[in-house]
mmCIF file of all heavy atoms in Angstrom:
data_model
loop_
_atom_site.group_PDB
_atom_site.id
_atom_site.type_symbol
_atom_site.label_atom_id
_atom_site.label_comp_id
_atom_site.label_asym_id
_atom_site.label_seq_id
_atom_site.Cartn_x
_atom_site.Cartn_y
_atom_site.Cartn_z
ATOM 1 N N ALA A 96 11.831 -81.739 4.139
ATOM 2 C CA ALA A 96 12.652 -80.548 3.948
ATOM 3 C C ALA A 96 13.045 -80.384 2.483
ATOM 4 O O ALA A 96 13.028 -79.272 1.942
ATOM 5 C CB ALA A 96 13.895 -80.629 4.832
ATOM 6 N N SER A 97 13.367 -81.491 1.825
ATOM 7 C CA SER A 97 13.708 -81.436 0.399
ATOM 8 C C SER A 97 12.501 -81.050 -0.434
ATOM 9 O O SER A 97 12.602 -80.255 -1.375
ATOM 10 C CB SER A 97 14.247 -82.790 -0.071
ATOM 11 O OG SER A 97 15.403 -83.156 0.644
ATOM 12 N N GLY A 98 11.337 -81.646 -0.115
ATOM 13 C CA GLY A 98 10.131 -81.340 -0.864
ATOM 14 C C GLY A 98 9.759 -79.869 -0.785
ATOM 15 O O GLY A 98 9.355 -79.250 -1.779
ATOM 16 N N ILE A 99 9.918 -79.296 0.402
ATOM 17 C CA ILE A 99 9.594 -77.881 0.597
ATOM 18 C C ILE A 99 10.576 -77.004 -0.170
ATOM 19 O O ILE A 99 10.186 -76.045 -0.854
ATOM 20 C CB ILE A 99 9.608 -77.560 2.098
ATOM 21 C CG1 ILE A 99 8.426 -78.254 2.783
ATOM 22 C CG2 ILE A 99 9.576 -76.054 2.342
ATOM 23 C CD1 ILE A 99 8.547 -78.319 4.280
ATOM 24 N N ALA A 100 11.866 -77.331 -0.074
ATOM 25 C CA ALA A 100 12.876 -76.537 -0.772
ATOM 26 C C ALA A 100 12.701 -76.602 -2.280
ATOM 27 O O ALA A 100 12.760 -75.577 -2.972
ATOM 28 C CB ALA A 100 14.267 -77.025 -0.376
ATOM 29 N N VAL A 101 12.468 -77.798 -2.807
ATOM 30 C CA VAL A 101 12.298 -77.953 -4.254
ATOM 31 C C VAL A 101 11.043 -77.217 -4.720
ATOM 32 O O VAL A 101 11.025 -76.614 -5.800
ATOM 33 C CB VAL A 101 12.253 -79.438 -4.629
ATOM 34 C CG1 VAL A 101 11.810 -79.631 -6.077
ATOM 35 C CG2 VAL A 101 13.625 -80.076 -4.417
ATOM 36 N N GLY A 102 9.979 -77.262 -3.914
ATOM 37 C CA GLY A 102 8.780 -76.522 -4.276
ATOM 38 C C GLY A 102 9.052 -75.035 -4.419
ATOM 39 O O GLY A 102 8.616 -74.396 -5.386
ATOM 40 N N ARG A 103 9.774 -74.482 -3.478
ATOM 41 C CA ARG A 103 10.087 -73.055 -3.525
ATOM 42 C C ARG A 103 11.012 -72.697 -4.693
ATOM 43 O O ARG A 103 10.960 -71.591 -5.233
ATOM 44 C CB ARG A 103 10.756 -72.627 -2.221
ATOM 45 C CG ARG A 103 9.826 -72.558 -1.024
ATOM 46 C CD ARG A 103 10.578 -71.983 0.144
ATOM 47 N NE ARG A 103 9.749 -71.737 1.308
ATOM 48 C CZ ARG A 103 10.180 -71.123 2.399
ATOM 49 N NH1 ARG A 103 11.436 -70.684 2.454
ATOM 50 N NH2 ARG A 103 9.388 -70.927 3.427
ATOM 51 N N LEU A 104 11.887 -73.654 -5.054
ATOM 52 C CA LEU A 104 12.898 -73.385 -6.077
ATOM 53 C C LEU A 104 12.478 -73.841 -7.465
ATOM 54 O O LEU A 104 13.298 -73.814 -8.393
ATOM 55 C CB LEU A 104 14.211 -74.090 -5.702
ATOM 56 C CG LEU A 104 14.919 -73.596 -4.442
ATOM 57 C CD1 LEU A 104 16.025 -74.561 -4.043
ATOM 58 C CD2 LEU A 104 15.487 -72.196 -4.671
ATOM 59 N N ARG A 105 11.233 -74.234 -7.630
ATOM 60 C CA ARG A 105 10.817 -74.879 -8.869
ATOM 61 C C ARG A 105 11.181 -74.058 -10.106
ATOM 62 O O ARG A 105 11.777 -74.577 -11.061
ATOM 63 C CB ARG A 105 9.312 -75.149 -8.843
ATOM 64 C CG ARG A 105 8.863 -75.951 -10.048
ATOM 65 C CD ARG A 105 7.359 -76.084 -10.137
ATOM 66 N NE ARG A 105 7.034 -76.877 -11.303
ATOM 67 C CZ ARG A 105 7.080 -76.427 -12.562
ATOM 68 N NH1 ARG A 105 7.450 -75.179 -12.803
ATOM 69 N NH2 ARG A 105 6.791 -77.222 -13.572
ATOM 70 N N GLU A 106 10.835 -72.805 -10.125
ATOM 71 C CA GLU A 106 11.097 -71.975 -11.305
ATOM 72 C C GLU A 106 12.597 -71.816 -11.544
ATOM 73 O O GLU A 106 13.060 -71.815 -12.691
ATOM 74 C CB GLU A 106 10.438 -70.602 -11.134
ATOM 75 C CG GLU A 106 8.925 -70.653 -11.011
ATOM 76 C CD GLU A 106 8.267 -71.291 -12.225
ATOM 77 O OE1 GLU A 106 8.765 -71.088 -13.352
ATOM 78 O OE2 GLU A 106 7.247 -71.987 -12.043
ATOM 79 N N GLU A 107 13.358 -71.706 -10.471
ATOM 80 C CA GLU A 107 14.792 -71.516 -10.599
ATOM 81 C C GLU A 107 15.483 -72.775 -11.121
ATOM 82 O O GLU A 107 16.481 -72.700 -11.834
ATOM 83 C CB GLU A 107 15.374 -71.121 -9.237
ATOM 84 C CG GLU A 107 16.854 -70.795 -9.262
ATOM 85 C CD GLU A 107 17.344 -70.305 -7.913
ATOM 86 O OE1 GLU A 107 16.503 -69.948 -7.062
ATOM 87 O OE2 GLU A 107 18.575 -70.279 -7.715
ATOM 88 N N LEU A 108 14.954 -73.956 -10.753
ATOM 89 C CA LEU A 108 15.599 -75.206 -11.130
ATOM 90 C C LEU A 108 15.265 -75.648 -12.555
ATOM 91 O O LEU A 108 15.975 -76.464 -13.140
ATOM 92 C CB LEU A 108 15.202 -76.315 -10.146
ATOM 93 C CG LEU A 108 15.702 -76.131 -8.711
ATOM 94 C CD1 LEU A 108 15.127 -77.209 -7.817
ATOM 95 C CD2 LEU A 108 17.220 -76.132 -8.659
ATOM 96 N N ALA A 109 14.174 -75.150 -13.099
ATOM 97 C CA ALA A 109 13.836 -75.475 -14.490
ATOM 98 C C ALA A 109 14.756 -74.657 -15.412
ATOM 99 O O ALA A 109 15.125 -73.522 -15.083
ATOM 100 C CB ALA A 109 12.375 -75.141 -14.756
ATOM 101 N N PRO A 110 15.140 -75.206 -16.562
ATOM 102 C CA PRO A 110 14.768 -76.495 -17.147
ATOM 103 C C PRO A 110 15.745 -77.631 -16.854
ATOM 104 O O PRO A 110 15.678 -78.680 -17.470
ATOM 105 C CB PRO A 110 14.769 -76.173 -18.651
ATOM 106 C CG PRO A 110 15.888 -75.177 -18.783
ATOM 107 C CD PRO A 110 15.882 -74.362 -17.518
ATOM 108 N N ALA A 111 16.686 -77.414 -15.923
ATOM 109 C CA ALA A 111 17.659 -78.468 -15.629
ATOM 110 C C ALA A 111 16.980 -79.698 -15.027
ATOM 111 O O ALA A 111 17.474 -80.819 -15.160
ATOM 112 C CB ALA A 111 18.734 -77.944 -14.681
ATOM 113 N N TYR A 112 15.837 -79.463 -14.346
ATOM 114 C CA TYR A 112 15.126 -80.561 -13.701
ATOM 115 C C TYR A 112 13.661 -80.564 -14.121
ATOM 116 O O TYR A 112 13.056 -79.500 -14.322
ATOM 117 C CB TYR A 112 15.207 -80.429 -12.179
ATOM 118 C CG TYR A 112 16.602 -80.637 -11.633
ATOM 119 C CD1 TYR A 112 17.384 -79.551 -11.253
ATOM 120 C CD2 TYR A 112 17.139 -81.915 -11.507
ATOM 121 C CE1 TYR A 112 18.662 -79.729 -10.749
ATOM 122 C CE2 TYR A 112 18.417 -82.109 -11.003
ATOM 123 C CZ TYR A 112 19.173 -81.017 -10.632
ATOM 124 O OH TYR A 112 20.442 -81.207 -10.141
ATOM 125 N N LEU A 113 13.113 -81.764 -14.226
ATOM 126 C CA LEU A 113 11.685 -81.934 -14.519
ATOM 127 C C LEU A 113 10.948 -82.088 -13.193
ATOM 128 O O LEU A 113 11.289 -82.945 -12.371
ATOM 129 C CB LEU A 113 11.469 -83.177 -15.390
ATOM 130 C CG LEU A 113 12.275 -83.259 -16.684
ATOM 131 C CD1 LEU A 113 11.928 -84.530 -17.448
ATOM 132 C CD2 LEU A 113 12.028 -82.026 -17.558
ATOM 133 N N LEU A 114 9.917 -81.259 -13.004
ATOM 134 C CA LEU A 114 9.167 -81.247 -11.742
ATOM 135 C C LEU A 114 7.680 -81.071 -12.026
ATOM 136 O O LEU A 114 7.302 -80.461 -13.023
ATOM 137 C CB LEU A 114 9.646 -80.093 -10.852
ATOM 138 C CG LEU A 114 11.067 -80.209 -10.288
ATOM 139 C CD1 LEU A 114 11.546 -78.856 -9.789
ATOM 140 C CD2 LEU A 114 11.094 -81.237 -9.167
ATOM 141 N N PRO A 115 6.819 -81.597 -11.156
ATOM 142 C CA PRO A 115 5.374 -81.377 -11.322
ATOM 143 C C PRO A 115 5.042 -79.893 -11.241
ATOM 144 O O PRO A 115 5.707 -79.129 -10.536
ATOM 145 C CB PRO A 115 4.760 -82.144 -10.141
ATOM 146 C CG PRO A 115 5.802 -83.129 -9.733
ATOM 147 C CD PRO A 115 7.110 -82.470 -10.001
ATOM 148 N N GLN A 116 4.012 -79.479 -11.952
ATOM 149 C CA GLN A 116 3.586 -78.085 -11.960
ATOM 150 C C GLN A 116 2.503 -77.877 -10.913
ATOM 151 O O GLN A 116 1.396 -78.388 -11.042
ATOM 152 C CB GLN A 116 3.071 -77.701 -13.343
ATOM 153 C CG GLN A 116 4.153 -77.676 -14.410
ATOM 154 C CD GLN A 116 3.656 -77.079 -15.715
ATOM 155 O OE1 GLN A 116 2.502 -76.694 -15.828
ATOM 156 N NE2 GLN A 116 4.534 -76.998 -16.707
ATOM 157 N N GLN A 117 2.855 -77.144 -9.870
ATOM 158 C CA GLN A 117 1.897 -76.780 -8.831
ATOM 159 C C GLN A 117 2.456 -75.570 -8.085
ATOM 160 O O GLN A 117 3.637 -75.232 -8.239
ATOM 161 C CB GLN A 117 1.667 -77.933 -7.870
ATOM 162 C CG GLN A 117 2.865 -78.321 -7.025
ATOM 163 C CD GLN A 117 2.517 -79.439 -6.052
ATOM 164 O OE1 GLN A 117 1.375 -79.863 -5.945
ATOM 165 N NE2 GLN A 117 3.507 -79.936 -5.339
ATOM 166 N N PRO A 118 1.628 -74.874 -7.301
ATOM 167 C CA PRO A 118 2.134 -73.721 -6.556
ATOM 168 C C PRO A 118 3.331 -74.097 -5.703
ATOM 169 O O PRO A 118 3.318 -75.117 -4.994
ATOM 170 C CB PRO A 118 0.925 -73.317 -5.696
ATOM 171 C CG PRO A 118 -0.258 -73.809 -6.450
ATOM 172 C CD PRO A 118 0.186 -75.081 -7.109
ATOM 173 N N GLY A 119 4.386 -73.277 -5.753
ATOM 174 C CA GLY A 119 5.623 -73.611 -5.062
ATOM 175 C C GLY A 119 5.514 -73.688 -3.560
ATOM 176 O O GLY A 119 6.329 -74.326 -2.901
ATOM 177 N N THR A 120 4.487 -73.039 -2.988
ATOM 178 C CA THR A 120 4.331 -73.054 -1.537
ATOM 179 C C THR A 120 3.454 -74.202 -1.045
ATOM 180 O O THR A 120 3.324 -74.391 0.160
ATOM 181 C CB THR A 120 3.728 -71.733 -1.049
ATOM 182 O OG1 THR A 120 2.457 -71.534 -1.702
ATOM 183 C CG2 THR A 120 4.639 -70.556 -1.383
ATOM 184 N N LEU A 121 2.863 -74.973 -1.958
ATOM 185 C CA LEU A 121 1.925 -76.016 -1.544
ATOM 186 C C LEU A 121 2.593 -77.122 -0.722
ATOM 187 O O LEU A 121 2.035 -77.545 0.304
ATOM 188 C CB LEU A 121 1.210 -76.598 -2.760
ATOM 189 C CG LEU A 121 0.085 -77.597 -2.478
ATOM 190 C CD1 LEU A 121 -0.933 -77.028 -1.503
ATOM 191 C CD2 LEU A 121 -0.591 -78.019 -3.782
ATOM 192 N N PRO A 122 3.771 -77.640 -1.104
ATOM 193 C CA PRO A 122 4.400 -78.655 -0.247
ATOM 194 C C PRO A 122 4.622 -78.170 1.184
ATOM 195 O O PRO A 122 4.414 -78.919 2.141
ATOM 196 C CB PRO A 122 5.730 -78.941 -0.967
ATOM 197 C CG PRO A 122 5.451 -78.635 -2.405
ATOM 198 C CD PRO A 122 4.532 -77.455 -2.358
ATOM 199 N N GLU A 123 5.038 -76.931 1.335
ATOM 200 C CA GLU A 123 5.255 -76.381 2.679
ATOM 201 C C GLU A 123 3.938 -76.265 3.437
ATOM 202 O O GLU A 123 3.870 -76.527 4.645
ATOM 203 C CB GLU A 123 5.919 -75.020 2.574
ATOM 204 C CG GLU A 123 6.296 -74.412 3.905
ATOM 205 C CD GLU A 123 7.137 -73.168 3.735
ATOM 206 O OE1 GLU A 123 7.281 -72.678 2.598
ATOM 207 O OE2 GLU A 123 7.671 -72.678 4.750
ATOM 208 N N ARG A 124 2.893 -75.901 2.729
ATOM 209 C CA ARG A 124 1.586 -75.733 3.374
ATOM 210 C C ARG A 124 1.065 -77.044 3.932
ATOM 211 O O ARG A 124 0.568 -77.105 5.061
ATOM 212 C CB ARG A 124 0.600 -75.151 2.360
ATOM 213 C CG ARG A 124 -0.774 -74.866 2.920
ATOM 214 C CD ARG A 124 -1.686 -74.347 1.838
ATOM 215 N NE ARG A 124 -3.065 -74.235 2.277
ATOM 216 C CZ ARG A 124 -4.112 -74.270 1.480
ATOM 217 N NH1 ARG A 124 -3.934 -74.419 0.163
ATOM 218 N NH2 ARG A 124 -5.325 -74.160 1.955
ATOM 219 N N VAL A 125 1.172 -78.126 3.162
ATOM 220 C CA VAL A 125 0.617 -79.394 3.636
ATOM 221 C C VAL A 125 1.521 -80.062 4.659
ATOM 222 O O VAL A 125 1.051 -80.820 5.521
ATOM 223 C CB VAL A 125 0.343 -80.356 2.461
ATOM 224 C CG1 VAL A 125 -0.720 -79.777 1.548
ATOM 225 C CG2 VAL A 125 1.608 -80.708 1.690
ATOM 226 N N ALA A 126 2.838 -79.813 4.592
ATOM 227 C CA ALA A 126 3.755 -80.417 5.559
ATOM 228 C C ALA A 126 3.670 -79.735 6.918
ATOM 229 O O ALA A 126 3.961 -80.360 7.945
ATOM 230 C CB ALA A 126 5.184 -80.362 5.037
ATOM 231 N N ASP A 127 3.285 -78.465 6.939
ATOM 232 C CA ASP A 127 3.138 -77.732 8.189
ATOM 233 C C ASP A 127 1.895 -78.242 8.916
ATOM 234 O O ASP A 127 0.777 -78.144 8.414
ATOM 235 C CB ASP A 127 3.006 -76.234 7.895
ATOM 236 C CG ASP A 127 2.999 -75.382 9.156
ATOM 237 O OD1 ASP A 127 2.237 -75.698 10.094
ATOM 238 O OD2 ASP A 127 3.755 -74.401 9.198
ATOM 239 N N LYS A 128 2.089 -78.778 10.111
ATOM 240 C CA LYS A 128 0.991 -79.443 10.800
ATOM 241 C C LYS A 128 -0.075 -78.463 11.286
ATOM 242 O O LYS A 128 -1.241 -78.840 11.451
ATOM 243 C CB LYS A 128 1.542 -80.287 11.939
ATOM 244 C CG LYS A 128 2.508 -81.343 11.425
ATOM 245 C CD LYS A 128 3.111 -82.166 12.510
ATOM 246 C CE LYS A 128 4.262 -83.002 11.963
ATOM 247 N NZ LYS A 128 3.919 -83.747 10.735
ATOM 248 N N ALA A 129 0.311 -77.220 11.507
ATOM 249 C CA ALA A 129 -0.686 -76.216 11.865
ATOM 250 C C ALA A 129 -1.545 -75.863 10.664
ATOM 251 O O ALA A 129 -2.775 -75.730 10.764
ATOM 252 C CB ALA A 129 0.001 -74.966 12.418
ATOM 253 N N GLU A 130 -0.917 -75.737 9.498
ATOM 254 C CA GLU A 130 -1.665 -75.444 8.279
ATOM 255 C C GLU A 130 -2.563 -76.616 7.893
ATOM 256 O O GLU A 130 -3.649 -76.425 7.340
ATOM 257 C CB GLU A 130 -0.699 -75.141 7.135
ATOM 258 C CG GLU A 130 0.144 -73.892 7.327
ATOM 259 C CD GLU A 130 -0.662 -72.618 7.183
ATOM 260 O OE1 GLU A 130 -1.727 -72.655 6.543
ATOM 261 O OE2 GLU A 130 -0.228 -71.582 7.721
ATOM 262 N N LEU A 131 -2.104 -77.833 8.179
ATOM 263 C CA LEU A 131 -2.857 -79.012 7.760
ATOM 264 C C LEU A 131 -4.236 -79.056 8.403
ATOM 265 O O LEU A 131 -5.206 -79.506 7.778
ATOM 266 C CB LEU A 131 -2.067 -80.282 8.109
ATOM 267 C CG LEU A 131 -2.674 -81.598 7.633
ATOM 268 C CD1 LEU A 131 -2.810 -81.629 6.115
ATOM 269 C CD2 LEU A 131 -1.834 -82.779 8.118
ATOM 270 N N ALA A 132 -4.338 -78.603 9.629
ATOM 271 C CA ALA A 132 -5.647 -78.597 10.295
ATOM 272 C C ALA A 132 -6.638 -77.751 9.501
ATOM 273 O O ALA A 132 -7.794 -78.144 9.299
ATOM 274 C CB ALA A 132 -5.497 -78.066 11.718
ATOM 275 N N GLY A 133 -6.190 -76.587 9.022
ATOM 276 C CA GLY A 133 -7.065 -75.741 8.223
ATOM 277 C C GLY A 133 -7.348 -76.329 6.857
ATOM 278 O O GLY A 133 -8.468 -76.209 6.335
#
Side-chain angles (χ1 to χ4, degrees):
S97 300
I99 291 164
V101 169
R103 287 186 174 186
L104 294 168
R105 186 187 181 284
E106 298 301 324
E107 184 175 345
L108 294 174
Y112 292 102
L113 306 181
L114 292 163
Q116 292 189 359
Q117 66 177 355
T120 58
L121 186 53
E123 185 171 9
R124 183 182 172 205
V125 296
D127 186 311
K128 300 178 191 311
E130 296 288 338
L131 185 60

